[in-house]
Amino acid sequence: MARESESGLPIEPVYGPAALEGWDPEQKLGEPGRYPFTRGVYPSMYTGRPWTMRQYAGFGTATESNARYKQLIANGTMGLSVAFDLPTQMGHDSDAPIASGEVGKVGVAIDSIDDMRVLFGGIPLDKVSTSMTINAPAALLLLMYQLVGEEQGVAAEQLTGTIQNDVLKEYIARGTYIFPPKPSLRLIADIFKYCKAEIPKWNTISISGYHMAEAGASPAQEIAFTLADGIEYVRTAVAAGMDVDDFAPRLSFFFVARTTILEEVAKFRAARRIWARVMKEEFGAKNPKSLMLRFHTQTAGVQLTAQQPEVNLVRVAVQGLGAVLGGTQSLHTNSFDEAIALPTDKSARLALRTQQVLAYETDVTATVDPFAGSYVVEKMTDDVEAAALELMDKVEELGGAVSAIEHGFQKSEIERSAYRIAQETDSGERVVVGVNRFQLDEEEPYEPLRVDPAIEAQQAERLAKLRAERDQEAVDAALAALKKAAEGDADTDNVLYPMKDALRARATVGEVCNALREVWGTYVPSDAF
């Protein structure tokens, strides 16, 4: 009896040559590192070096997070990935009334350049690659990172890393937006231009399907809506006067890895193929690097359970294996206790060790694209690709990603998928070990990591001290220049330059975002949502 995949596509009990009848391996596969990149973006993949092992971390104060980063580096992490608290993500200072109760809770609180100095104190920014999960205020955090690098004596050309900077998925699935879509896209185009001129090795955007998947998107929906957002960003940059090959090589993507290994591998391979074709045929990209879909993967937090949390170690290992078999460029493995609270030092170390076992104790790094030519994986790759392209066509029919967002299309499709998953779990059709089968009568006690509530008061004290010490006239002048640039012509006025001056003068995240709110307004979802 056939089963269905996560995308609702049939999975047959047996596959053979008939499943690929009329299938052209040259067109579909090619060689690793060559168009259409189905088999991976680099010729040698992990046979030359493993993926970048990133661990997503950040909580409480900059001091606490700095200590965690140093522990991760000592344990073999190859790149840092910064989690910011909700006030920072939404452009509010820690002492703003709206921030009450959220300071330092789901990430580190960063209010100013002072906090950024502490966060990366003693960490050589010319030797680590840093990914920052920040969207609407991405430009601010990038500029503060650059300023800290300058203070360390590190030239901007030496900085490597990624800002997520993907605001469209915030309107679809996550909600930490600030400005309406049009000025948000202008800000992203300004970031592309700024980084080309000032920080050339920086990945300017990480176009994210992960949060859509966490909201319930199927694998086909995840890549369809993510790639549609990517197309919107490319169109925006081209419309702003940039040549596609000047910025496309620095685009990157961010996907989830679920426990369903075969479909996840197929999803990653299909996404590479679709993106290569779009960049070549729609945008006329000439640089092979512009055609490459390079991506970071995080294991599926939504699949972790608070019941029998140790079982999550197994889930994360399986999910990480799927990401590696699918050809990810970097990977974060979740800690087993994340369904309960922030990870402890031990659980974060175990998550990293999971990656190290995959890289150094298995043979999956011995050959490129181990599943190439597999009847089932090739058929599933074709099926996921076809399903994703159908959804992308629907987005285009609605006028592109932004217009489809305004119609509520992506959100409603994801909600339908999430409802189906919930129904299957409630009925027991979808087995979740420890939740609807194989339960324990009594759960073992677990002591989670807790964030000190005094952090909020401490951050407020730091802000009061900062405002008392700084040159307020310089801050006011810099914020006025920022507002003037935001009011100006998007083709000539890049807001990142006056923004950097304001942050150097010790303007806060909230003050900079409020200056832009005065000019651009804030986004209010339509009734379509």
Side-chain angles (χ1 to χ4, degrees):
M1 179 180 174
R3 286 175 52 180
E4 281 193 348
S5 73
E6 293 285 297
S7 297
L9 304 169
I11 305 177
E12 301 298 333
V14 178
Y15 287 83
L20 303 179
E21 191 174 346
W23 194 78
D24 182 352
E26 278 299 315
Q27 181 185 14
K28 296 283 189 178
L29 280 175
E31 295 296 321
R34 293 186 183 179
Y35 184 87
F37 302 103
T38 309
R39 302 193 63 192
V41 291
Y42 302 120
S44 61
M45 287 303 288
Y46 310 136
T47 63
R49 61 180 292 269
W51 59 93
T52 298
M53 298 179 195
R54 289 191 191 281
Q55 287 307 110
Y56 184 50
F59 63 95
T61 64
T63 300
E64 290 173 294
S65 292
N66 175 265
R68 175 65 64 86
Y69 295 156
K70 288 176 177 174
Q71 289 171 354
L72 288 169
I73 291 169
N75 282 311
T77 293
M78 299 151 68
L80 299 176
S81 187
V82 184
F84 298 96
D85 71 357
L86 280 175
T88 305
Q89 290 182 48
M90 301 192 76
H92 297 295
D93 290 332
S94 295
D95 60 355
I98 197 172
S100 179
E102 294 294 342
V103 176
K105 290 291 177 67
V106 299
V108 61
I110 298 294
D111 290 313
S112 71
I113 184 67
D114 292 17
D115 290 329
M116 206 68 163
R117 289 188 190 107
V118 174
L119 186 65
F120 290 102
I123 296 173
L125 299 190
D126 56 341
K127 293 183 171 60
V128 300
S129 169
T130 301
S131 174
M132 292 188 277
T133 303
I134 193 74
N135 294 284
L140 284 75
L141 278 300
L142 172 62
L143 292 170
M144 285 193 277
Y145 190 84
Q146 182 188 2
L147 287 166
V148 171
E150 288 175 359
E151 292 173 1
Q152 288 187 5
V154 178
E157 307 89 69
Q158 294 177 277
L159 297 175
T160 59
T162 305
I163 41 173
Q164 192 163 100
N165 194 28
D166 175 10
V167 74
L168 292 182
K169 66 96 172 50
E170 298 295 331
Y171 305 124
I172 295 170
R174 194 158 175 268
T176 59
Y177 42 71
I178 299 177
F179 315 114
K182 186 175 179 180
S184 293
L185 289 172
R186 179 212 165 156
L187 184 54
I188 287 169
D190 281 358
I191 290 169
F192 287 0
K193 292 176 184 177
Y194 180 87
C195 286
K196 179 181 180 292
E198 308 290 342
I199 318 177
K201 293 182 181 178
W202 197 266
N203 296 321
T204 51
I205 195 167
S206 179
I207 307 159
S208 175
Y210 181 87
H211 303 93
M212 298 186 213
E214 293 283 282
S218 71
Q221 290 173 338
E222 178 192 355
I223 62 169
F225 298 147
T226 304
L227 299 184
D229 286 352
I231 290 168
E232 191 80 34
Y233 294 131
V234 175
R235 287 173 178 163
T236 298
V238 170
M242 297 188 74
D243 183 274
V244 67
D245 287 319
D246 283 344
F247 65 89
R250 302 316 310 176
L251 303 178
S252 65
F253 291 80
F254 175 26
F255 296 117
V256 78
R258 302 168 180 81
T259 52
T260 44
I261 289 181
L262 297 181
E263 188 177 17
E264 292 300 285
V265 172
K267 175 191 78 178
F268 296 133
R269 299 169 89 247
R272 278 194 294 267
R273 200 154 71 200
I274 296 170
W275 187 249
R277 189 164 57 244
V278 166
M279 294 302 291
K280 182 178 182 179
E281 296 178 3
E282 178 175 342
F283 296 106
K286 302 290 192 298
N287 186 344
K289 291 183 178 178
S290 299
L291 312 179
M292 295 179 182
L293 183 143
R294 298 170 303 114
F295 64 96
H296 169 71
T297 309
Q298 181 173 335
T299 54
V302 74
Q303 291 187 321
L304 303 185
T305 64
Q307 298 90 337
Q308 302 179 45
E310 294 84 356
V311 177
N312 293 328
L313 286 164
V314 182
R315 294 187 177 102
V316 168
V318 169
Q319 294 162 359
L321 178 61
V324 170
L325 290 171
T328 191
Q329 275 59 71
S330 73
L331 177 62
H332 163 79
T333 34
N334 289 330
S335 300
F336 75 89
D337 51 359
E338 286 186 30
I340 301 171
L342 290 166
T344 63
D345 290 345
K346 181 177 181 179
S347 64
R349 184 171 62 250
L350 282 171
L352 176 60
R353 295 290 183 254
T354 302
Q355 294 200 50
Q356 291 164 338
V357 168
L358 290 174
Y360 302 113
E361 293 191 21
T362 75
D363 57 2
V364 296
T365 59
T367 186
V368 177
D369 192 20
F371 279 163
S374 157
Y375 296 130
V376 59
V377 169
E378 299 299 359
K379 182 63 167 64
M380 290 179 77
T381 300
D382 287 354
D383 289 347
V384 172
E385 179 182 18
L389 287 171
E390 184 178 349
L391 287 166
M392 292 172 72
D393 287 344
K394 290 179 180 177
V395 170
E396 285 297 299
E397 288 168 10
L398 289 168
V402 171
S403 180
I405 287 168
E406 290 169 348
H407 283 85
F409 174 68
Q410 299 98 318
K411 191 170 186 289
S412 64
E413 289 291 305
I414 291 169
E415 286 172 351
R416 257 193 294 274
S417 175
Y419 183 61
R420 174 175 63 86
I421 292 168
Q423 284 184 310
E424 291 173 359
T425 303
D426 290 345
S427 70
E429 180 184 351
R430 177 184 294 262
V431 175
V432 181
V433 174
V435 175
N436 59 11
R437 283 183 69 181
F438 315 114
Q439 299 103 318
L440 293 176
D441 292 334
E442 187 176 338
E443 291 286 336
E444 297 176 12
Y446 179 78
E447 184 59 37
L449 177 67
R450 301 186 188 280
V451 174
D452 187 347
I455 285 170
E456 192 167 319
Q458 292 168 12
Q459 284 297 112
E461 288 173 11
R462 285 176 60 81
L463 282 165
K465 184 172 183 289
L466 175 146
R467 293 183 182 118
E469 293 175 346
R470 70 188 182 184
D471 182 343
Q472 190 60 43
E473 286 187 8
V475 172
D476 292 342
L479 291 174
L482 173 62
K483 286 194 281 189
K484 184 177 179 182
E487 291 165 349
D489 188 336
D491 292 333
T492 57
D493 295 300
N494 190 316
V495 298
L496 268 75
Y497 290 96
M499 187 183 291
K500 185 181 179 185
D501 292 338
L503 293 167
R504 184 189 282 115
R506 300 174 79 191
T508 67
V509 168
E511 289 166 344
V512 171
C513 288
N514 286 340
L516 293 176
R517 285 183 180 99
E518 288 180 32
V519 178
W520 291 342
T522 56
Y523 179 69
V524 178
S526 69
D527 292 339
F529 286 77

